[in-house]
Amino acid sequence: MASNEHAAAVPTIGAFVPGYLLVVPTTHTLSLGQLSNEELEGVEDLARDLTDQLHRVYRRPTLSFEYGLNLPAARRIGHGHLHILPSTADLGGWLARRVPGYEIASYTQVPRGADTSYITVRDQTGTLTCFPVPNDAFPRIRLRKIVARLDPQIEDTAWDWEAHPFPELMRATVEDLTTVKPARPEAAYRAGAPR
């Protein structure tokens, strides 16, 4: 959908709302925190541009998050990626009630060691928060599952991308972001809603 020297944006399998994108660094890495400052700034620049575009197209607040799990072979997707989607889910608030976190100015301030893990959330106001988490796969917080539960526009069971790939919402994302048209009606945000 968009790219720069350091990252590319793709509609994601399991897009439970139209406009759900992954920003994927061009350098192979387990988490964004293992990238250089220059690469992180490139990821952040692309994410910022996409956030603005998603807001213009869908007229909804935008949420982004990353689970920076730095444990090889502990994830279904072994390449770092940032989720960006139109959503009202208060993921940052949910995490703050369970895990200590702190506000950061940019992704260059996430924990950088290969033996540390974290979750980042850029909420609908643009505030970026980092939540350090154990460098362990168990217990693992399923962020997509939490977002699905917190956003009333998303069916609770839609979070598992393997069980619910939503190819029609991936196609809708491509169409919506490559053509100019009016904002999508609120009802069309429900997972699986007809276009």
Side-chain angles (χ1 to χ4, degrees), residues 31-33 40 43-44 47 63-69 75 81-85 91-93 95 99-112 117-123 127-133 141 143 147:
S31 73
L32 300 183
L40 277 169
V43 168
E44 194 156 19
L63 170 71
S64 64
F65 60 89
E66 180 207 7
Y67 196 137
L69 181 60
R75 305 163 53 151
H81 54 280
L82 178 67
H83 300 251
I84 302 178
L85 66 151
L91 179 60
L95 283 165
V99 181
Y102 53 93
E103 193 173 318
I104 56 177
S106 76
Y107 289 103
T108 60
Q109 296 174 313
V110 298
R112 305 303 284 275
S117 293
Y118 61 87
I119 295 170
T120 58
V121 176
R122 186 175 301 276
D123 69 16
T127 301
L128 181 60
T129 305
C130 181
F131 301 91
V133 293
I141 301 169
L143 298 176
V147 169

Side-chain angles (χ1 to χ4, degrees), residues 134-195:
N135 200 33
D136 190 353
F138 302 101
R140 176 132 179 256
I141 301 169
R142 297 266 181 210
L143 298 176
R144 285 176 44 90
K145 187 174 189 176
I146 302 308
V147 169
R149 286 184 180 162
L150 294 174
D151 189 327
Q153 298 297 319
I154 303 168
E155 296 295 327
D156 285 0
T157 59
W159 71 272
D160 188 340
W161 58 268
E162 288 180 314
H164 304 283
F166 294 114
E168 71 282 1
L169 293 178
M170 291 173 63
R171 283 190 293 277
T173 297
V174 171
E175 182 180 315
D176 291 347
L177 297 178
T178 57
T179 60
V180 177
K181 60 187 190 180
R184 186 182 284 279
E186 196 68 24
Y189 287 95
R190 297 191 194 286
R195 290 184 47 84

Side-chain angles (χ1 to χ4, degrees), residues 1-4 7-12 21-25 46-47 50 82 84:
M1 299 302 310
S3 64
N4 63 25
V10 295
T12 182
L21 299 171
L22 295 183
V23 176
V24 183
L46 183 59
L50 291 166
L82 178 67
I84 302 178

